[in-house]
């Protein structure tokens, strides 16, 4: 079903892969891309469970927008192991204005499709989604 504001549909694979990340921890992260020619959000890259945050941030393009989810493990001050799923809206300043508008207008609907995201982050450059910021937001 397409989003009336942006005309974007969400490919079923997006929801299926997210459920695998959430329930089975099959992936560390998923990067999603809007395929403008077919007006759909698609899975672009799956990061294996052994991959690190640096692997994830390195796969985001410097001049194109993306959506992503990242499952971060951390230890609380009480020494308890936890994990949280982050939704990241990546919209670099160097991306095209049309692309930024398309991703911004589709974000809320797409985000609602991913039931189980605990933290949302908007980033326009790498410093806004550094591992320190992500860990700080996890608490």
């Amino acid at each position: 079903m397409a989003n009336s504001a942006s005309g974007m549909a969400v490919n079923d694979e997006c929801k299926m892969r997210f459920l695998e990340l959430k329930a089975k921890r099959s992936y560390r992260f998923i990067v999603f891309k809007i395929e403008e020619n077919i007006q759909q959000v698609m899975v672009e890259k799956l990061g294996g469970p052994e991959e690190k945050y640096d692997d994830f941030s390195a796969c985001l393009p410097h001049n194109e927008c993306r959506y992503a989810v990242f499952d971060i493990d951390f230890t609380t001050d009480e020494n308890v192991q936890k994990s949280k799923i982050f939704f990241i809206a990546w919209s670099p300043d160097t991306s095209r204005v049309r692309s930024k508008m398309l991703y911004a207008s589709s974000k809320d609907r797409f985000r609602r499709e991913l039931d189980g995201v605990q933290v949302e982050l908007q980033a326009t450059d790498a410093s806004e989604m550094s591992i320190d910021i992500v860990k700080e937001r996890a608490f």
Side-chain angles (χ1 to χ4, degrees):
M1 176 180 280
N3 176 344
S4 60
S6 68
M8 279 307 125
V10 177
N11 186 286
D12 287 340
E13 184 187 11
C14 296
K15 294 178 258 187
M16 193 170 66
R17 298 292 176 232
F18 177 75
L19 288 173
E20 291 171 1
L21 176 143
K22 183 175 86 168
K24 299 179 188 169
R25 304 199 77 194
S26 302
Y27 311 107
R28 175 65 58 196
F29 64 85
I30 307 171
V31 178
F32 304 97
K33 176 182 184 180
I34 293 178
E35 290 290 352
E36 292 184 43
N37 57 338
I38 59 171
Q39 297 285 293
Q40 263 195 9
V41 180
M42 308 287 288
V43 171
E44 182 179 55
K45 178 165 176 46
L46 298 168
E50 72 290 343
E51 294 199 53
K52 305 285 184 237
Y53 192 77
D54 289 341
D55 301 319
F56 161 68
S57 56
C59 76
L60 293 174
H62 297 291
N63 60 353
E64 291 180 39
C65 300
R66 294 291 187 271
Y67 301 127
V69 289
F70 187 86
D71 186 6
I72 186 165
D73 295 319
F74 62 97
T75 306
T76 67
D77 294 336
E78 295 81 32
N79 207 25
V80 177
Q81 282 289 111
K82 290 199 168 201
S83 77
K84 283 201 176 168
I85 298 173
F86 276 72
F87 176 83
I88 298 169
W90 173 247
S91 184
D93 291 331
T94 54
S95 59
R96 296 174 311 150
V97 172
R98 174 176 160 69
S99 179
K100 287 189 235 185
M101 291 173 59
L102 186 60
Y103 275 78
S105 66
S106 303
K107 181 184 81 156
D108 288 339
R109 179 180 183 275
F110 179 62
R111 163 70 181 75
R112 283 193 302 270
E113 296 282 343
L114 307 177
D115 185 37
V117 167
Q118 293 146 310
V119 183
E120 189 172 320
L121 201 63
Q122 174 85 34
T124 59
D125 67 52
S127 70
E128 293 177 350
M129 53 172 271
S130 70
I131 188 64
D132 293 334
I133 289 173
V134 169
K135 284 182 177 176
E136 183 180 302
R137 294 285 303 274
F139 289 95

